[in-house]
Amino acid sequence: MTEETQKKELISIEEVVNWILLLVIFSVLVSIGSYVGYHHPIGLSLVGMFILSFVTLIGMLLEKYIPYNISSIIYISVIGLIIALPIMPTSEFVIYYVSHVELLSIVTVFLAYVGIGIGKSWDQFKSMGFGGILVTMAVITGTFLGSAIIAHFVLVLTGTPV
């Protein structure tokens, strides 16, 4: 590999501003969803979403600036785990506020965004063909079932009523 292919493309200020704007909009919509669907106070949900958004932004920036080919989701997960560890001084703060954000609220807003994205590139989606759609559905189904099975075993092992 040449040095040019190893070097990642750096991002512009405009791109970071766009990420921040998207994360703020996403945070507000998820906070409203957490309030409407689960009666969490909007202010607490909003702080929790801003924590999640900040971690997401840091992870995305690390992906661009660290020279190894590591996905931002790895950075985001590791940062999130570290700041929520019981031995960290940030733990109580992070867990308190993030616990006011419902996962289903996040997923609902995310899927709406994906739907808009697919709608804007419908021709590209159709060009995937039937095989691509089947593979996508199989991956989504397999991921869901795998997660459910793991969650079930963990709940059983910890003695939590299922």
Side-chain angles (χ1 to χ4, degrees):
M1 273 186 173
T2 65
E3 189 176 320
E4 283 183 29
T5 57
Q6 286 181 343
K7 187 183 284 188
K8 291 190 175 191
E9 186 177 316
L10 300 181
I11 56 174
S12 66
I13 296 297
E14 293 85 23
E15 192 172 0
V16 174
V17 169
N18 284 338
W19 288 351
I20 292 170
L21 182 61
L22 270 173
L23 288 169
V24 167
I25 292 169
F26 190 78
S27 296
V28 170
L29 291 174
V30 169
S31 297
I32 292 170
S34 286
Y35 173 74
V36 170
Y38 302 96
H39 308 293
H40 290 296
I42 289 180
L44 298 177
S45 296
L46 202 53
V47 173
M49 277 305 300
F50 285 149
I51 292 168
L52 294 174
S53 295
F54 182 72
V55 169
T56 300
L57 182 63
I58 297 300
M60 291 168 63
L61 290 170
L62 286 174
E63 177 189 27
K64 294 290 185 179
Y65 287 102
I66 292 182
Y68 302 106
N69 192 17
I70 299 174
S71 173
S72 63
I73 193 69
I74 302 296
Y75 293 119
I76 293 166
S77 299
V78 169
I79 294 168
L81 285 169
I82 289 172
I83 65 172
L85 282 173
I87 60 171
M88 297 299 288
T90 55
S91 174
E92 286 184 38
F93 177 81
V94 168
I95 291 172
Y96 176 75
Y97 285 106
V98 172
S99 69
H100 289 89
V101 178
E102 290 294 328
L103 177 63
L104 287 177
S105 297
I106 294 173
V107 171
T108 302
V109 175
F110 179 73
L111 289 177
Y113 178 74
V114 168
I116 291 169
I118 289 174
K120 288 175 78 176
S121 60
W122 190 248
D123 292 332
Q124 188 178 24
F125 180 71
K126 288 191 295 188
S127 72
M128 279 181 20
F130 189 67
I133 293 171
L134 282 178
V135 168
T136 302
M137 296 299 286
V139 168
I140 292 170
T141 303
T143 303
F144 175 77
L145 290 175
S147 299
I149 290 168
I150 291 169
H152 178 76
F153 281 124
V154 169
L155 290 172
V156 168
L157 290 173
T158 59
T160 305
V162 181

